[in-house]
Amino acid sequence: MKDFIEKNLTVSERILKKLTFVAQDAIVMMDSDGLISFWNRAAEHIFGYTSEEAVNRPLHRLIVPSSYYDDFVKGFDRFQSTGIGNVLDKTHELVATRRDGTDIQVEVSISAIEIEGVWHSIGIIRDITNRKLLEQELHAHRKDLEALVQERTFKLKLANADIEQVNEFLRQEITEREQLETKLHHNYYMQEVISTMLQIALEQIPLKNKLESALDLVLSAPWIHIQKKACIFLTQADSNTLTMAAQRHLPQVLQVACISKNMFGRPVPERDQA
């Protein structure tokens, strides 16, 4: 039975030794005096000390920056007697020191184990320096992108403001041109009306026909937004009375009303109405 147990322990030790040998993370064991009792190959690679150089040396003096040593001393007495500590059974991101004096970023998980009545600790340490550098580069890149986006956004706002200003100028210019074209069209039309009236005046036709043609020309103006009804009154040189000489589209009632009053609102004598 004893041989069987010893054989199993030997197999377990061989498996454990193989696992710690191929592990990519540093596996470090510290005894109750704070001395290194186990140091695997990954620890050698990460920190630069061989197992022979590291074992039996104070762990915190070897790889922990001096700025953290006081915190270790405060908590180590408690750990020695109880196996309890603030850093146990948790994962922490810390700074460690290599043999060449350079600091590296590490991720540390620490557990306590009681052996023959005294407390030891086992730590698994992963070098995360490259990961932290990459995170810093990504953070800086993201900041640069954010700054670039803000700059482009600001430029786009300025460009949009300039475009809107140009558009407003173009709208005003178009409006002014349309107004000018309308005015020119009206002037051209009025010139045509006046020219036609002059031609009508020279024709050998009764005055009433001439005046009615003039009314037709005026009422045909497309921009005159009134009812297409009108009349022309004439006054005689030796009288202050008015006479309707021509009309277009006036109802009979309105014609009578216009005839019965002069332009000042006074009744026209009956003889003139006749």
Side-chain angles (χ1 to χ4, degrees):
M1 183 67 178
K2 181 179 179 181
D3 293 340
F4 177 76
I5 294 174
E6 289 178 351
K7 182 179 180 181
N8 285 339
L9 287 175
T10 302
V11 172
S12 298
E13 288 175 356
R14 290 175 59 187
I15 294 173
L16 180 61
K17 184 176 181 180
K18 187 65 175 179
L19 289 174
T20 59
F21 181 79
V22 299
Q24 298 299 308
D25 295 336
I27 300 176
V28 179
M29 188 170 180
M30 182 184 69
D31 63 18
S32 60
D33 295 323
L35 302 178
I36 298 171
S37 58
F38 182 81
W39 187 266
N40 74 338
R41 189 178 69 161
E44 293 179 342
H45 175 72
I46 293 173
F47 295 104
Y49 298 98
T50 65
S51 177
E52 291 76 11
E53 292 172 327
V55 171
N56 293 324
R57 292 183 64 178
L59 175 67
H60 289 78
R61 290 293 187 186
L62 189 68
I63 63 173
V64 177
S66 58
S67 58
Y68 292 96
Y69 190 73
D70 291 340
D71 294 333
F72 162 72
V73 172
K74 293 177 183 178
F76 190 66
D77 291 339
R78 182 188 179 196
F79 171 76
Q80 283 180 309
S81 59
T82 65
I84 299 173
N86 293 331
V87 297
L88 294 176
D89 301 320
K90 300 175 183 177
T91 300
H92 302 270
E93 290 186 2
L94 302 173
V95 178
T97 302
R98 290 172 47 85
R99 181 172 187 165
D100 59 8
T102 58
D103 289 337
I104 58 174
Q105 298 283 334
V106 294
E107 190 175 76
V108 183
S109 299
I110 303 175
S111 297
I113 182 173
E114 189 177 15
I115 302 175
E116 297 180 356
V118 293
W119 288 98
H120 299 250
S121 65
I122 300 175
I124 299 177
I125 306 171
R126 176 172 297 175
D127 185 358
I128 60 172
T129 303
N130 291 335
R131 189 183 81 189
K132 300 301 287 187
L133 289 175
L134 181 59
E135 289 177 356
Q136 291 176 4
E137 290 178 3
L138 290 175
H139 179 73
H141 184 61
R142 183 169 61 251
K143 287 291 186 181
D144 291 341
L145 287 177
E146 291 175 354
L148 182 60
V149 169
Q150 291 179 355
E151 180 183 359
R152 294 289 177 85
T153 302
F154 178 72
K155 289 182 178 180
L156 285 174
K157 288 182 178 179
L158 291 179
N160 289 336
D162 292 339
I163 292 173
E164 181 58 29
Q165 186 175 5
V166 171
N167 288 340
E168 180 61 25
F169 174 78
L170 291 175
R171 284 193 292 267
Q172 292 179 357
E173 184 174 357
I174 291 172
T175 301
E176 291 174 357
R177 288 192 176 187
E178 289 177 347
Q179 292 174 349
L180 179 59
E181 290 175 358
T182 301
K183 185 176 181 180
L184 290 174
H185 178 70
H186 291 175
N187 290 341
Y188 176 79
Y189 186 85
M190 289 306 300
Q191 290 175 3
E192 290 292 322
V193 169
I194 293 172
S195 176
T196 303
M197 285 183 176
L198 291 176
Q199 293 178 6
I200 293 173
L202 297 176
E203 292 180 359
Q204 300 298 320
I205 59 175
L207 177 60
K208 181 179 179 181
N209 293 344
K210 293 180 180 181
L211 295 177
E212 288 176 347
S213 297
L215 282 177
D216 290 336
L217 286 171
V218 173
L219 292 177
S220 64
W223 65 87
I224 298 179
H225 301 290
I226 59 174
Q227 294 184 9
K228 302 300 183 178
K229 301 173 183 179
C231 62
I232 297 177
F233 284 91
L234 297 180
T235 180
Q236 298 178 3
D238 58 349
S239 173
N240 63 350
T241 60
L242 297 175
T243 302
M244 182 185 292
Q247 63 85 21
R248 275 290 182 260
H249 313 300
L250 288 181
Q252 185 65 30
V253 176
L254 190 56
Q255 291 184 42
V256 173
C258 291
I259 293 174
S260 63
K261 291 187 178 181
N262 62 21
M263 62 184 299
F264 302 105
R266 294 192 296 269
V268 179
E270 292 182 2
R271 58 180 177 82
D272 293 325
Q273 294 182 24

